Amino acid sequence: MEISVKDYMERQPGAPQVELTDRFYLWVALRLAKLWDESPWLRGLNDEVRRDVVLAVTGYYQDVVADGGLWRSFTRLHNARHGSPLPHYGRSGDYTDYELNRDDVRYVIWWSVAGTDEGAALDPHDTELEALATAFYMLLDEEYEHAPVPRQYCIAAELDLDNPEDAQRIYDFAYWLYWRSYLLRPSSLAVMERATPEAHAIIARAGESDARPLLLELNERLMSTEPAGPIPLTTAQWLRLIIDDELP
């Protein structure tokens, strides 16, 4: 599979601004892609799905290295509600909260695949999934102690939801969170798919050149009303959880 700079940058919370650490994490993504290309595991998935998986695992890795808050918030909420940090896998004896974990990688792979047509029947305990996750984890673990902190994943720590001066940055972060982040994107894509007939109707009514602001309004409405994520929450709830540490 091929992963371009554009593919990688579209998933970054600070895009289009390029950070010094982006070279390193693009290199990580390319190494993961090469590893998968040379392995026998889950090779029935098409390249588009596999690219999404690699970029999601890279995003998870960046978030954990930076302690950006998204993964921490998700696993903390899941633990509070269900007694374990992850769906499906419980808490293994070597699991460390908010650090790099093999089961985290396995879950991110499964979550990224499960919502697609090709992965709808993927068992979270599939042996090929486990083998791929282990290989990915070992590669990521090699660099973990020395991986540079991707500052763009620390945006949430700089925001105050009640400060009007932060309004634009909050909106930008919310847009990335809902449509681009490794954790919410798999489910927000399903939201967009359900809204596709409405989007087509807007284009047919307004014409392509005049439809852009109307489509942006549609995106914003979906962001504000349609829950997303492995724990379905609205964007406002995710923001409160990540920025204010407020459990919904």
Side-chain angles (χ1 to χ4, degrees), residues 42-51 118:
L42 299 182
R43 291 304 302 274
L45 300 173
N46 69 43
D47 279 0
E48 182 178 356
V49 173
R50 296 199 301 131
R51 182 175 63 248
E118 297 188 17

Side-chain angles (χ1 to χ4, degrees), residues 75-93:
T75 53
R76 188 171 67 87
L77 177 58
H78 194 274
N79 192 65
R81 288 186 174 183
H82 304 289
S84 65
L86 296 172
H88 305 304
Y89 303 128
R91 180 186 288 274
S92 62

Side-chain angles (χ1 to χ4, degrees), residues 49-176:
V49 173
R50 296 199 301 131
R51 182 175 63 248
D52 282 349
V53 168
V54 167
L55 291 171
V57 171
T58 304
Y60 153 79
Y61 190 51
Q62 291 174 277
D63 188 17
V64 170
V65 170
D67 194 17
L70 177 53
W71 189 255
R72 172 185 288 271
S73 297
F74 162 58
T75 53
R76 188 171 67 87
L77 177 58
H78 194 274
N79 192 65
R81 288 186 174 183
H82 304 289
S84 65
L86 296 172
H88 305 304
Y89 303 128
R91 180 186 288 274
S92 62
D94 60 352
Y95 190 91
T96 304
D97 288 327
Y98 322 134
E99 297 288 346
L100 175 68
N101 290 284
R102 186 177 69 91
D103 280 345
D104 291 351
V105 176
R106 180 162 56 149
Y107 181 76
V108 170
I109 296 172
W110 177 84
W111 171 242
S112 300
V113 173
T116 68
D117 292 339
E118 297 188 17
L122 181 62
D123 183 345
H125 297 279
D126 181 90
T127 55
E128 290 190 21
L129 169 62
E130 183 174 5
L132 180 65
T134 299
F136 276 12
Y137 168 78
M138 291 175 66
L139 186 155
L140 298 173
D141 191 48
E142 288 177 6
E143 306 293 337
Y144 186 60
E145 293 301 325
H146 307 288
V149 174
R151 300 302 307 174
Q152 64 269 40
Y153 272 79
C154 302
I155 292 174
E158 303 168 358
L159 299 176
D160 180 351
L161 290 175
D162 299 316
N163 185 353
E165 294 183 0
D166 283 349
Q168 184 60 52
R169 297 185 72 204
I170 291 168
Y171 173 82
D172 293 342
F173 179 71
Y175 190 92
W176 168 81

Side-chain angles (χ1 to χ4, degrees), residues 19-40:
E19 302 291 341
L20 292 176
T21 54
D22 284 326
R23 181 186 295 272
F24 173 83
Y25 288 102
L26 176 58
W27 173 72
V28 167
L30 294 173
R31 288 186 66 195
L32 292 172
K34 185 174 187 293
L35 185 160
W36 199 350
D37 281 343
E38 295 173 351
S39 82

Side-chain angles (χ1 to χ4, degrees), residues 208-222:
E208 289 192 14
S209 59
D210 295 328
R212 187 166 299 175
L214 299 175
L215 293 175
L216 181 58
E217 289 178 8
L218 172 61
N219 278 8
E220 292 175 346
R221 173 161 55 81
L222 296 174

